[in-house]
Amino acid sequence: MRYKIRSMVGRGQVEEQVKAPKGRGRPRSFDRATALEKALMAFWEHGYEATSVSDLTRIMGIGAPSLYAAFGDKRTLFEEVVRVYADTHGAFVGRALAEEPTARAAVERTLREAAVAYTDPAHPYGCLVVHAATNCTSPEIEELLRERRNRNIAALASRIRADVAAGRLPAGTDATTLARHTGAMIQGMSQQARDGASREELEALAEIATAIWPRD
Amino acid sequence: MRYKIRSMVGRGQVEEQVKAPKGRGRPRSFDRATALEKALMAFWEHGYEATSVSDLTRIMGIGAPSLYAAFGDKRTLFEEVVRVYADTHGAFVGRALAEEPTARAAVERTLREAAVAYTDPAHPYGCLVVHAATNCTSPEIEELLRERRNRNIAALASRIRADVAAGRLPAGTDATTLARHTGAMIQGMSQQARDGASREELEALAEIATAIWPRD
DNA sequence: ATTTTTATGTAACGACCGATAGATAACTCA
DNA sequence: TGAGTTATCTATCGGTCGTTACATAAAAAT
């Protein structure tokens, strides 16, 4: 067990580095958060299995023992990467859900922002949670992201149900299907981005996708 | 270079096996088509990279030299698997496109049949072309399926454009986006199936997805 | 019956996988 | 200064990857 350093990124102010908890032995020669971000990019682009430990050590600029000391094994590193991704690059979904007044507005904004995020040339295309653990030798890793995907859809469904209960959507509205449709659109858009679709094309997709919502 | 046996399946009548071209040496001790189908299932379930050659030899019930003699290397085997898949399990898209009178009807039928096919317990869930080559070490394999996906969308787009030209769809219809939307839905449904969605859930998805088509 | 051709089984190849042992370096604390 | 602690470097571990050499087996051709 190894002490946690706050890997908070883009989460309010940066609160200028607690100078590392002044440990006792030889100080780490690399910035942990920076190395973690490099690992994130690698996993994002190539997925869990296709990113080897030697890929990681090369990209992160550290030796294998340093990686294992700082992050545990490959699987633990990946789990941390997924957590960081969800709190940063993948946070726009939860933000829309929390900030928009209606489920419909939240979904529209989510799809619109997904079109931008998934085609941003500053990082790999598409969504890490959607793509980084398909065709995996270890079922636990696959399950890790599958649960995250299904949890997102479930959260969206309950948000929609709340709107139905509040009369903001027609009484007969199928919240589950509507939520699943949004999930499918996000996954489809992510794949399209990986297959070369442009931001404009995904935005057009996002726009017509909301036509399925019940007329109010 | 190795002679081709017609691996046509479900393509009109079966025309009862040409008895194998009566080769000269020791006859093959296994049925090539059967072994190929086993390989197809394995690749379908686990993807290209996560299916090792020793997995394949075990599942196909043959030794490695037999596999290499009959199918070339792993990559060539996969390419043949993809071709067989497209002509059989994945043929329903092209069938709908060829048989239905309008693009809209073709898409509706495609999505409806995808809901059934992607959750059929007789084989792995989802679509091989969508999932079997994500997170791949070799870019060529990824490209192989990516091209197939984009080709399908392009074919659909041109079908839609034909309907627009024939006045079966409004003049301003964005055929490209409509086609891409169908592609995204198929990919999303495939992922949903892999994530545990039921046939009924995917059918509900397919039904509401067609609401985006222009009212005629 | 011998030769030729093709397939099969055994066993191994080099390359890479994830992970670690052991020696050494760089820091804090007494 | 020395003892204790932690990180890094080099080198390597056993395992698996895709692939193939080699000897043998089973058929057709001569």
Side-chain angles (χ1 to χ4, degrees), chain B residues 51-128:
Chain B
T51 306
S52 70
V53 172
S54 73
D55 286 338
L56 290 168
T57 57
R58 193 186 60 252
I59 292 172
M60 300 164 86
I62 62 179
S66 297
L67 189 154
Y68 279 82
F71 300 101
D73 59 6
K74 186 188 175 186
R75 181 196 162 139
T76 310
L77 169 57
F78 181 73
E79 290 172 356
E80 184 170 355
V81 158
V82 170
R83 256 177 280 127
V84 170
Y85 176 88
D87 285 343
T88 55
H89 302 92
F92 65 94
V93 186
R95 239 176 352 241
L97 227 54
E99 297 174 3
E100 293 299 319
T102 68
R104 177 175 188 151
V107 166
E108 284 182 7
R109 171 172 155 187
T110 295
L111 295 182
R112 227 182 313 119
E113 294 189 2
V116 178
Y118 290 173
T119 56
D120 188 340
H123 49 67
Y125 294 151
C127 173
L128 183 145

Side-chain angles (χ1 to χ4, degrees), chain B residues 33-44 56 59-61 81:
Chain B
T34 304
L36 188 57
E37 185 69 15
K38 299 275 183 64
L40 188 154
M41 292 295 178
F43 279 133
W44 193 350
L56 290 168
I59 292 172
M60 300 164 86
V81 158

Side-chain angles (χ1 to χ4, degrees), chain A residues 131 134-135 149 180 192 195, chain B residues 131 134-135 149 180 195:
Chain A
H131 286 103
T134 47
N135 302 146
R149 290 190 294 267
R180 195 176 296 278
Q192 293 290 317
D195 284 354
Chain B
H131 286 102
T134 49
N135 303 146
R149 289 189 293 267
R180 196 176 294 278
D195 284 355

